[in-house]
Amino acid sequence: MIGLEDKKEIWLGLPQDTPEQQVWADNYYDAELVPMAQERFIGHYATEKKTSYYGMFLLLGSSWEQVAFNVKLLDPQNVHVLCGRDHDIQLSLLCNNLGLDEGSFCVTTIQEGDATALYRVIRKQHDIWDSMGRSAIDITGGSPLMRTAAAMAAAYLDIDVYRLESHYMPKYHHYEPGTERMQRLPSVQSILL
């Protein structure tokens, strides 16, 4: 069986000079590298105690694969994706990768920079989920403004906050598979209150 490092070398060697070649390389990355990197990521954190979440918010930006890792690891019962109008392709790829059914998956489109709308959506969904269990949010995706607003809402509502760190490869316009690391921000309320 070909491992992640070998498949990464294949991907790095693919020609990406034309739009057609770029699409082929991107499809290889999505279909071959991301699932293997997710398996490695889950294996890396397998021995750590994980909180069980009833719901998890995701901020979706231009990189769908980055927000999929923590969802795969934490396996919440419900997922609510917050994204802009121009993220249809990323949303489709995310749904396909996570294998979510319509009953446990919800999407809200929020205009870029509309922190007020983001607060309202998070508050309303959190109020519904809170009676069933804990919530979390992954602030890996989205714009800097929306990540900041989401983190502020999470601090106010005592929602656990996660972020994925990985090495970005500018030449290839992707993150390097296998370099992903989960970060859980400490609860503001547990420290400051």
Side-chain angles (χ1 to χ4, degrees):
M1 181 176 173
I2 298 176
L4 178 60
E5 295 305 317
D6 293 329
K7 286 194 176 192
K8 191 173 5 176
E9 288 302 316
I10 292 169
W11 172 66
L12 293 172
L14 292 174
Q16 299 186 35
D17 301 323
T18 67
E20 293 81 12
Q21 291 172 336
Q22 183 67 52
V23 168
W24 202 92
D26 287 348
N27 287 341
Y28 185 84
Y29 179 89
D30 293 345
E32 299 293 331
L33 295 175
V34 172
M36 289 185 90
Q38 287 172 330
E39 286 179 26
R40 180 184 283 184
F41 180 77
I42 291 168
H44 179 78
Y45 292 101
T47 59
E48 292 187 19
K49 186 177 186 269
K50 293 178 267 315
T51 303
S52 178
Y53 293 107
Y54 184 75
M56 188 167 191
F57 297 97
L58 301 178
L59 298 180
L60 182 61
S62 60
S63 178
W64 71 268
E65 65 273 7
Q66 293 295 290
V67 298
F69 279 83
N70 284 328
V71 177
K72 286 271 192 176
L73 175 67
L74 299 170
D75 194 28
Q77 293 181 39
N78 297 281
V79 174
H80 191 143
V81 178
L82 307 165
C83 62
R85 297 187 203 295
D86 56 345
H87 294 119
D88 292 341
I89 293 170
Q90 292 88 343
L91 185 60
S92 176
L93 291 167
L94 177 67
C95 291
N96 185 44
N97 178 265
L98 296 177
L100 296 171
D101 62 54
E102 290 184 27
S104 63
F105 181 71
C106 171
V107 178
T108 300
T109 302
I110 297 176
Q111 184 175 347
E112 177 59 41
D114 191 351
T116 303
L118 182 77
Y119 294 152
R120 287 184 181 129
V121 169
I122 290 174
R123 176 60 186 253
K124 184 176 181 180
Q125 186 67 67
H126 175 264
D127 288 349
I128 294 167
W129 285 347
D130 197 40
S131 64
M132 303 301 289
R134 286 217 36 92
S135 298
I137 189 165
D138 186 311
I139 61 168
T140 305
S143 69
L145 175 68
M146 297 308 259
R147 286 193 300 267
T148 302
M152 290 173 60
Y156 179 78
L157 297 168
D158 194 27
I159 297 172
D160 293 339
V161 179
Y162 291 87
R163 177 163 168 69
L164 189 79
E165 291 290 330
S166 57
H167 177 256
Y168 186 70
M169 301 168 48
K171 179 180 176 184
Y172 298 95
H173 307 287
H174 283 291
Y175 291 88
E176 182 179 353
T179 64
E180 299 83 9
R181 295 292 171 255
M182 176 184 66
Q183 291 186 330
R184 180 177 179 182
L185 280 70
S187 167
V188 170
Q189 294 187 11
S190 69
I191 296 170
L192 299 180
L193 299 179

